[in-house]
Amino acid sequence: MNTKTKIIVLHMKEIIYTAIFTALALLLIVLALVMFLPGKKSSPASGTKKNYVPGVYTASVTLNNTDLEVEVAVDESHINSIRFKNLNESVTTMFPLIQPAIEDIAEQVYEKQSLSDISLSKDTPYTSKVILDTINEAIKKAAVE
């Protein structure tokens, strides 16, 4: 039996570099798997629940033979915007306080995310009440049952 002994010389620097690159490659593979494999979708925070069906909902109000539409945009748990859809100059001329009234109500609704405890303006209590009722009608269309 003829055996020849082989001696392999490894430099410590090469071993360290190989170990570092192997660890980085494994980390990259794990990150790629976590990011791109299908899995559970992250759900919203447990404190939020679905109050509305997302979308844009309208309700009509008639002022002096003119139909105005109040448009309310909602997502699953928030009221995002409230505005008049077809407010023109003739209506704003006849009812100059209608635009400030809806802006005041919309600001309160954005802050509270509810139609309860909305304070009506002393300048336009009746107009504000009509607008609030119309917004409530649109919100009822969006509510999850």
Side-chain angles (χ1 to χ4, degrees), residues 14-98:
E14 292 174 355
I15 294 173
I16 292 172
Y17 287 154
T18 303
I20 289 173
F21 287 130
T22 304
L24 287 175
L26 287 173
L27 180 65
L28 183 65
I29 290 170
V30 168
L31 286 174
L33 288 175
V34 168
M35 289 178 62
F36 297 115
L37 279 181
K40 268 203 258 180
K41 297 282 183 188
S42 60
S43 62
S46 61
T48 60
K49 66 175 192 170
K50 289 185 178 183
N51 296 331
Y52 311 110
V53 177
V56 178
Y57 299 90
T58 60
S60 296
V61 61
T62 303
L63 298 174
N64 246 11
N65 296 327
T66 303
D67 287 331
L68 293 178
E69 287 189 4
V70 175
E71 185 178 80
V72 179
V74 297
D75 60 15
E76 291 179 343
S77 59
H78 294 92
I79 300 170
N80 295 327
S81 72
I82 300 171
R83 68 180 185 97
F84 280 116
K85 188 174 181 181
N86 53 352
L87 186 66
N88 55 30
E89 286 183 30
S90 64
V91 175
T92 56
T93 302
M94 292 294 292
F95 302 99
L97 297 177
I98 196 163

